[in-house]
Amino acid sequence: MGKRVAMEVSIAIAEAVKLARAEVIAAYPITPQTHIVEHLSELVANGELDAEYVTVESEHSAISCCLGSVATGARTFTSTSSQGLALMHEILFIASALRLPVVMVVANRALSAPISIWNDHSDIMAQRDIGWIQTFAENGQEAVDLVLHAFRVAEDRNVMFPMIVNIDGFTLSHVIEPIVLPDQEDVDAFLPPFRPKYKLDPRKPISIGAVGVPEIYFEAKKAQDEAFKNSRRVILRAWKDFATRFGREYHPVETYRMEDAEVGLLIMGSLAETAMTAVDKMREEGKKVGLIRLRLWRPFPTKEFRKAVSGLPVLAVIDRALTPGASGGPVGTEVRSVLYHCARRPRVVNFVAGLGGRDVTVEDFEEMADRAFFYKKKRPKEAYELIGVRES
Amino acid sequence: MGKDQALMSWKDVPFGLYIFEPGNSAQFKTGDWRSMRPELDKEKCVKCGSCYILCPDMCYEADEEGFYQVNLFYCKGCGICAAVCPKGAITMVLEEV
């Protein structure tokens, strides 16, 4: 069962795509995602991966190529970041509506301007409504496992939706970690070949992407929405099967030291590891702090999330993106909405931290937790507060 | 898919709104919002086929006698046929419901 090897997370992700036996990769390099597709192109060029590697002139072409490829029934992968993801925007909606299960890793990076190659979640939050299943990895091992999970879920005949695995740019993509790459035969057993029910085939022609007149468009969107919500079951089942086969257990929502917690920090992505250190430190000081991490972002794991915060007095939601003029960050507004109908719900305090690669330290998490304790008795004046911005 | 053919429950919408029957655009009733309809005067018609050639929706087809007849399932009533007819054999008349 797999060897534990120290490797860069981007390289490990590329190796996972190889283990998944991807057949087509179309991608355009962009920092901090570049190493993933660079390594994949090497694997293809060296004959280690029997796939078609399509070099394209932009991310718009990359994702368009992926749609065509997956429509013919080929297992398809791409990866991007920031401006590249933004350039894909219009095609991303088409991928989900046409039920084309592309798997993409997004190395999360800030959006311009100012120009920034560094990490936050503003790129993916701008793509919140594209109708793709979205997960967030905390560390390299999880990134590898979520990529395998993504192919399994996306291509399931009861799902057939594209899927994004988010990894934090640099803080995860460029980190060297000990990672277990599973054996090929175990991956093959977990991930059967892609056999879509319908595909583009000259022997049996079909049309994909026809016009939806006003009399049918709405019904088509409702059908899509229902199918998307139903993907939940397959997502959970695939994680369960993954745990049986590989021994690593994944859930839509993870909790850490949340029993008896008075303040819960909520975060997505790799910063959760820093937050855990802060929780441990504060627990030693007798402060009842816990951590909640969302692994599954779309479809939103409402049931699991409500369970994780039940009985909690204050929830501090840490957003990694700004939504100018809104009533909170994207995660903050989502969570407030999810909790609105709960009779006993925590007070939600929303922080925005770590934009454009600004470090979020253990001390920053302590500060957020301390403010959350303060807000236990006093309602916050602002809908959200920025952490780590110089005032003078 | 014609508008009247599209009225179905979301539960019956085909997967991804795919079209499984190639060439079914022929079933698309494009003639459902016409306000004017062409009428042919066979006395004046010389069967030149200008209407057949210039119709943007390819609605015209020759009948057994060689007269070009409009197919109102597709005709949008644009009036090009009437405008180009060298003999003034085609008149646009109001479509009454």
Side-chain angles (χ1 to χ4, degrees):
Chain A
M1 167 114 194
K3 266 187 278 180
R4 185 184 288 265
V5 188
M7 62 170 82
E8 188 187 312
V9 172
S10 289
I11 306 299
I13 288 170
E15 291 289 337
V17 173
K18 179 190 157 200
L19 284 168
R21 299 187 187 277
E23 294 167 293
V24 176
I25 297 137
Y28 192 82
I30 182 168
T31 301
Q33 161 276 141
T34 306
H35 291 182
I36 298 172
V37 295
E38 200 173 75
H39 190 63
L40 278 168
S41 75
E42 277 170 18
L43 291 173
V44 174
N46 293 347
E48 291 175 63
L49 171 60
D50 182 17
E52 203 63 48
Y53 188 98
V54 190
T55 47
V56 287
E57 75 279 25
S58 75
E59 286 85 357
H60 191 281
S61 307
I63 189 67
S64 300
C65 179
C66 286
L67 262 55
S69 146
V70 86
T72 66
R75 179 164 288 162
T76 305
F77 178 82
T78 188
S79 183
T80 192
S81 293
S82 183
Q83 310 302 120
L85 185 64
L87 186 55
M88 288 182 178
H89 184 68
E90 58 160 335
I91 309 298
L92 299 175
F93 289 86
I94 297 170
S96 51
L98 295 184
R99 314 290 297 276
L100 300 172
V102 181
V103 170
M104 167 154 68
V105 168
V106 176
N108 301 125
R109 160 185 154 183
L111 283 170
S112 301
I115 296 170
S116 166
I117 58 165
W118 295 276
N119 167 240
D120 68 28
H121 291 174
S122 48
D123 57 357
I124 193 61
M125 287 305 157
Q127 309 298 340
R128 190 189 56 179
D129 301 334
I130 53 176
W132 288 46
I133 301 169
Q134 296 185 28
T135 54
F136 279 79
E138 181 185 75
N139 54 45
Q141 186 65 60
E142 189 175 325
V144 164
D145 295 349
L146 289 186
V147 166
L148 299 175
H149 175 257
F151 281 110
R152 160 87 175 247
V153 171
E155 295 171 358
D156 190 297
R157 282 190 179 186
N158 292 314
V159 177
M160 292 295 283
F161 279 108
M163 204 155 158
I164 287 175
V165 176
N166 288 285
I167 61 160
D168 283 311
F170 293 113
T171 57
L172 192 50
S173 65
H174 285 55
V175 162
I176 294 175
E177 276 184 30
I179 290 169
V180 179
L181 286 176
D183 291 332
Q184 185 67 62
E185 57 192 90
D186 295 334
V187 174
D188 290 344
F190 173 72
L191 186 60
F194 179 34
R195 296 267 183 270
K197 194 170 173 193
Y198 312 111
K199 61 177 181 179
L200 292 180
D201 181 351
R203 285 165 301 182
K204 207 182 162 198
I206 59 167
S207 292
I208 304 182
V211 68
V213 290
E215 286 75 8
I216 193 74
Y217 182 92
F218 211 177
E219 279 69 26
K221 295 318 272 187
K222 162 78 176 169
Q224 181 189 341
D225 189 40
E226 283 300 313
F228 192 69
K229 283 190 273 184
N230 284 338
S231 68
R232 229 187 86 85
R233 212 167 33 86
V234 179
I235 295 167
L236 300 184
R237 206 171 52 209
W239 270 330
K240 213 170 164 189
D241 186 40
F242 189 93
T244 318
R245 290 171 188 277
F246 301 100
R248 290 183 292 278
E249 222 177 282
Y250 294 109
H251 302 282
V253 177
E254 295 290 342
T255 56
Y256 181 68
R257 305 189 81 164
M258 279 299 291
E259 333 69 55
D260 79 337
E262 287 172 12
V263 164
L265 302 170
L266 172 74
I267 197 154
M268 304 201 293
S270 62
L271 274 189
E273 300 209 330
T274 316
M276 273 191 227
T277 309
V279 166
D280 287 342
K281 196 170 163 220
M282 295 184 89
R283 281 277 177 178
E284 272 172 40
E285 294 160 4
K287 293 175 184 166
K288 292 183 174 172
V289 186
L291 177 73
I292 299 167
R293 180 164 68 90
L294 292 179
R295 176 175 287 118
L296 180 63
W297 169 237
R298 284 290 182 274
F300 192 86
T302 303
K303 200 176 114 196
E304 292 84 354
F305 172 73
R306 282 183 179 155
K307 193 171 161 232
V309 298
S310 89
L312 178 73
V314 186
L315 178 68
V317 181
I318 298 139
D319 261 293
R320 308 283 322 281
L322 262 181
T323 309
S327 53
V331 186
T333 48
E334 178 88 21
V335 158
R336 281 195 182 108
S337 171
V338 163
L339 293 172
Y340 186 77
H341 288 292
C342 300
R344 287 181 63 244
R345 56 176 184 252
R347 170 164 289 168
V348 177
V349 198
N350 196 184
F351 299 109
V352 176
L355 295 194
R358 179 66 53 89
D359 281 336
V360 186
T361 61
V362 170
E363 291 70 30
D364 290 328
F365 282 109
E366 286 180 87
E367 185 193 333
M368 288 184 263
D370 282 337
R371 286 202 205 180
F373 275 112
F374 175 76
Y375 288 133
K376 208 177 141 186
K377 293 192 189 84
K378 198 168 173 283
R379 195 180 291 272
K381 280 202 187 106
E382 303 292 336
Y384 56 94
E385 296 173 19
L386 271 52
I387 294 294
V389 174
R390 283 184 302 276
E391 289 289 343
S392 55
Chain B
M1 200 179 286
K3 286 181 181 176
D4 49 352
Q5 297 155 297
L7 300 176
M8 62 173 79
S9 154
W10 67 268
K11 292 170 195 159
D12 300 323
V13 170
F15 178 85
L17 207 62
Y18 289 9
I19 291 167
F20 298 106
E21 185 193 341
N24 80 342
S25 60
Q27 294 165 28
F28 188 13
K29 187 179 180 181
T30 52
D32 67 346
W33 45 270
R34 182 179 56 242
S35 65
M36 302 286 276
R37 150 172 66 85
E39 249 179 28
L40 178 67
D41 182 348
K42 286 187 182 176
E43 297 294 314
K44 292 182 185 168
C45 178
V46 294
K47 304 176 183 174
C48 71
S50 296
C51 52
Y52 166 77
I53 293 164
L54 292 161
C55 171
D57 271 298
M58 294 177 283
C59 298
Y60 276 94
E61 241 181 307
D63 65 13
E64 285 160 2
E65 296 171 70
F67 288 109
Y68 289 94
Q69 299 285 0
V70 70
N71 183 342
L72 292 174
F73 185 79
Y74 299 121
C75 173
K76 291 170 178 164
C78 70
I80 288 176
C81 51
V84 299
C85 179
K87 293 292 175 187
I90 301 173
T91 320
M92 296 306 288
V93 299
L94 195 66
E95 189 71 83
E96 295 192 45
V97 186

